[in-house]
């Protein structure tokens, strides 16, 4: 407890200021300086520096990414040098676990990758700095936080950093549940592929009860409503794979939450949640788990509710159309209880999306039609199937002035089921051949995509009905 010059206080203030600078190099240098200076201070003064670093997490309500990043780097340096006392861990660990999920939306992107990466560095440093007995109270929380980051983080560097920190804890602390088993699947290289991390590694890890709820909850709370559209799709697919791990929880807890969120005012939330509903329903069907009558009715009514709320309009209407088609397909294939009225209403939505000029929406509508036709057309009369489907589609393919409608209905004819094609095969073939070979006189009406889709539709008809039927 020797004398400390007053100038040291000014130096510490300058380093703390540098640790939250907008420039990464400055923050890194400031963090290293804090570590070196703190190591030369008396214990009570060093603890005051640690308190000042912890206060950086709370700047501007925790939304200052530069301050959070600098604080994480500083904590890692302090822990690495043995300057972060065990008495501070109850404050440090929750802040680090929160930083592992730091992702603040700004415009069409987000900031937080560097914060999450630095939080993994802190976890790595904690594994090297403390004895297993000291870390024992925090093992479960750190294990869950790191494995969630290792499999679900958007950025490859963060997934790999989390995997490395997890490995460090398994090797040095030896207390992470099923650590060796998980590391054989979630190593530095395997988590590098995002799709593999989501659909393979996370499903494997969810087989261990200690991690299952953390993985599922993070998907539903964060990833299913992520700002990146591809992450929302991947999260929905992963939910379907996870259903088998706990069918009752998904049917009674997760699915109602997703149904509520599917009508949210936030585009990302409602789009991802609608996709999640569709995939969970399909997952439950694959597991042979029957949905309750009330929840099943809510799923059937979801697309009409989306349309009633006019969520197809404005920004994001296209992605909602595609997700609605996926919900329709899940209703058709998911074994839910529907009546004739429901099938007719689903077909109205499918027909509306078939006429949309966006290719992805048309493909989603065709996929939905294939599901409804194969699973639910048996509920409808032969007259309805001819008037509302075959006759309507063949006339549209031949003469609809809207090129987008001709494209969509040509693809749709190739998606009809074998029984319906067998009854009206000649009409379908004639209309598709006509659409594929006829070039309109007016240049404004010519559409190569319509002719291409007619050929694709013919291929679909041949694959479904067989060459013998087509040539017969």
């Amino acid at each position: 407890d020797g004398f400390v010059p007053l100038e040291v206080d000014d130096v510490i203030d300058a380093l703390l200021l540098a640790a939250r600078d907008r420039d990464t190099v400055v923050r890194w240098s400031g963090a290293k300086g804090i570590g070196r200076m703190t190591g030369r201070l008396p214990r009570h003064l060093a603890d005051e520096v640690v308190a000042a670093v912890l206060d950086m997490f709370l700047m501007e309500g925790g939304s200052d990414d530069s301050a959070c990043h600098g604080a994480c780097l500083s904590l890692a340096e302090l822990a690495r040098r043995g300057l972060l006392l065990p008495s501070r861990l109850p404050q440090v660990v929750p802040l680090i676990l929160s930083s592992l999920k730091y992702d603040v939306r700004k415009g069409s992107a987000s900031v937080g990758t560097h914060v999450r990466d630095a939080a993994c560095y802190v976890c790595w440093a904690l594994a090297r700095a403390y004895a297993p007995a000291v870390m024992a109270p925090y093992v479960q929380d750190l294990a869950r936080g790191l494995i969630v980051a290792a499999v679900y983080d958007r950025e490859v560097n963060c997934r790999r950093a989390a995997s490395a920190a997890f490995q460090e804890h398994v090797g040095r602390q030896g207390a992470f549940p099923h650590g060796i088993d998980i590391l054989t699947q979630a190593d530095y290289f395997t988590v590098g592929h995002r799709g593999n991390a989501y659909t393979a590694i996370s499903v494997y890890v969810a087989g261990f009860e200690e991690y299952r709820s953390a993985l599922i909850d993070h998907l539903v709370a964060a990833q299913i409503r992520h700002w990146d559209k591809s992450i929302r799709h991947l999260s929905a697919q992963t939910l379907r794979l996870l259903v088998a791990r706990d069918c009752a929880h998904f049917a009674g807890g997760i699915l109602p939450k997703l149904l509520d969120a599917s009508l949210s005012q936030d585009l990302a939330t409602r789009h991802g949640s609608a996709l999640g509903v569709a995939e969970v329903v399909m997952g439950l069907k694959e597991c042979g788990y029957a949905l309750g009558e009330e929840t099943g009715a809510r799923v059937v009514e979801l697309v009409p509710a989306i349309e009633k709320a006019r969520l197809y309009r404005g920004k994001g209407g296209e992605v909602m159309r595609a997700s609605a088609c996926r919900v329709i397909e899940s209703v058709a294939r998911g074994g839910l209880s529907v009546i004739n009225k429901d099938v007719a209403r689903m077909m109205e939505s499918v027909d509306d999306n078939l006429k949309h000029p966006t290719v992805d929406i048309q493909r989603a509508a065709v996929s939905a039609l294939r599901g409804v036709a194969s699973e639910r057309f048996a509920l409808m009369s032969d007259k309805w199937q001819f008037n509302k489907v075959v006759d309507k589609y063949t006339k549209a393919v031949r003469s609809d002035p809207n090129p987008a409608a001709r494209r969509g209905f040509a693809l749709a004819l190739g998606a009809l089921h074998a029984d319906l094609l067998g009854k009206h095969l000649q009409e379908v073939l004639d209309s598709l051949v006509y659409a594929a070979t006829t070039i309109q006189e007016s240049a404004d009406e010519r559409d190569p995509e319509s002719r291409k889709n007619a050929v694709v539709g013919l291929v679909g008809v041949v694959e479904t009905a067989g060459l013998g039927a087509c040539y017969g």
Side-chain angles (χ1 to χ4, degrees):
D1 292 332
F3 172 73
V4 178
L6 294 177
E7 290 80 5
V8 172
D9 192 32
D10 296 332
V11 173
I12 295 295
D13 286 341
L15 290 173
L16 290 170
L17 188 63
R20 54 177 179 263
D21 192 88
R22 296 187 64 83
D23 194 325
T24 301
V25 176
V26 176
R27 293 197 297 272
W28 182 242
S29 299
K32 283 192 170 293
I34 288 172
R36 291 192 180 101
M37 289 293 294
T38 305
R40 297 176 180 271
L41 293 175
R43 176 171 176 172
H44 70 284
L45 294 179
D47 195 57
E48 288 183 10
V49 175
V50 173
V53 171
L54 294 177
D55 288 341
M56 291 169 61
F57 283 100
L58 306 178
M59 291 189 60
E60 297 185 19
S63 62
D64 188 338
D65 59 287
S66 297
C68 289
H69 181 236
C72 286
L73 293 177
S74 301
L75 285 178
E77 288 297 316
L78 292 169
R80 197 166 63 87
R81 297 168 184 272
L83 304 172
L84 191 61
L85 299 179
S87 60
R88 284 289 186 180
L89 287 179
Q91 296 171 271
V92 170
V93 172
L95 291 172
I96 297 307
L97 291 175
S98 176
S99 298
L100 284 172
K101 302 176 182 179
Y102 189 98
D103 193 18
V104 177
R105 179 84 175 267
K106 290 193 176 181
S108 59
S110 74
V111 295
T113 302
H114 55 318
V115 177
R116 300 195 300 275
D117 186 69
C120 293
Y121 178 35
V122 179
C123 293
W124 177 88
L126 292 177
R128 299 172 69 91
Y130 299 100
V134 175
M135 292 300 299
Y138 316 103
V139 162
Q140 293 287 347
D141 291 337
L142 282 173
R144 294 190 186 102
L146 285 172
I147 205 62
V148 165
V151 296
Y152 289 152
D153 200 283
R154 180 178 182 269
E155 308 301 333
V156 62
N157 62 301
C158 293
R159 294 197 300 275
R160 284 176 166 168
S163 176
F166 189 93
Q167 181 175 349
E168 195 72 20
H169 275 274
V170 171
R172 290 183 179 270
Q173 302 289 329
F176 275 19
H178 310 285
I180 298 297
D181 293 333
I182 291 172
L183 281 178
T184 61
Q185 300 292 323
D187 60 30
Y188 179 88
F189 297 101
T190 55
V191 299
H193 189 279
R194 186 194 294 167
N196 182 64
Y198 270 76
T199 60
I201 298 175
S202 74
V203 176
Y204 172 80
V205 176
F208 303 112
E209 189 174 353
E210 293 88 344
Y211 300 98
R212 186 181 304 147
S213 61
L215 291 169
I216 294 173
D217 291 345
H218 185 71
L219 274 182
V220 175
Q223 301 306 89
I224 204 72
R225 57 190 72 191
H226 198 272
W227 60 268
D228 187 339
K229 179 182 173 183
S230 64
I231 295 294
R232 299 198 294 270
H233 278 277
L234 202 52
S235 299
Q237 294 167 19
T238 306
L239 280 177
R240 178 175 180 172
L241 298 173
L242 291 174
V243 167
R245 300 296 186 188
D246 194 348
C247 293
H249 177 54
F250 271 92
I254 301 300
L255 191 54
K257 290 181 182 178
L258 293 174
L259 285 166
D260 292 337
S262 296
L263 299 176
S264 169
Q265 292 299 311
D266 178 65
L267 171 61
T269 299
R270 64 174 181 263
H271 173 244
S273 299
L275 289 175
V277 168
E279 298 301 334
V280 169
V281 169
M282 295 301 296
L284 291 171
K285 169 66 174 178
E286 292 166 356
C287 296
Y289 190 94
L291 267 178
E293 184 176 339
E294 181 181 351
T295 305
R298 289 188 64 189
V299 175
V300 173
E301 292 296 325
L302 178 57
V303 173
I306 290 174
E307 294 174 345
K308 183 178 180 180
R310 299 183 178 182
L311 298 181
Y312 291 163
R313 298 186 179 185
K315 182 180 179 182
E318 288 81 5
V319 295
M320 284 306 300
R321 285 179 177 273
S323 63
C325 290
R326 182 61 181 152
V327 173
I328 290 173
E329 183 179 3
S330 72
V331 170
R333 298 185 183 276
L336 301 181
S337 177
V338 297
I339 58 177
N340 298 27
K341 179 182 177 181
D342 297 322
V343 176
R345 192 164 53 185
M346 285 191 287
M347 284 304 299
E348 290 177 2
S349 299
V350 169
D351 291 350
D352 184 44
N353 288 310
L354 284 171
K355 295 183 286 187
H356 199 277
T358 304
V359 175
D360 289 341
I361 293 175
Q362 288 186 341
R363 289 175 179 169
V366 169
S367 183
L369 171 63
R370 188 175 284 110
V372 176
S374 62
E375 301 290 338
R376 302 297 180 172
F377 271 13
L379 296 173
M380 313 304 284
S381 66
D382 291 342
K383 181 179 179 181
W384 182 93
Q385 294 183 47
F386 176 74
N387 291 337
K388 296 296 184 179
V389 182
V390 177
D391 188 51
K392 178 180 180 179
Y393 289 8
T394 53
K395 287 180 179 178
V397 166
R398 286 176 176 271
S399 58
D400 197 304
N402 180 6
R406 297 202 300 272
R407 297 175 201 166
F409 288 124
L411 291 174
L413 286 173
L416 299 179
H417 64 98
D419 291 341
L420 186 56
L421 285 175
K423 297 174 184 177
H424 308 286
L425 184 59
Q426 197 58 50
E427 296 99 310
V428 172
L429 289 174
D430 289 345
S431 62
L432 288 174
V433 169
Y434 176 85
T437 57
T438 302
I439 300 177
Q440 286 76 13
E441 295 181 2
S442 172
D444 293 337
E445 296 181 2
R446 293 173 189 168
D447 183 46
E449 288 295 319
S450 296
R451 299 196 294 275
K452 185 198 81 171
N453 284 7
V455 174
V456 174
L458 281 169
V459 172
V461 171
V462 172
E463 289 177 342
T464 302
L467 280 172
C470 294
Y471 279 110

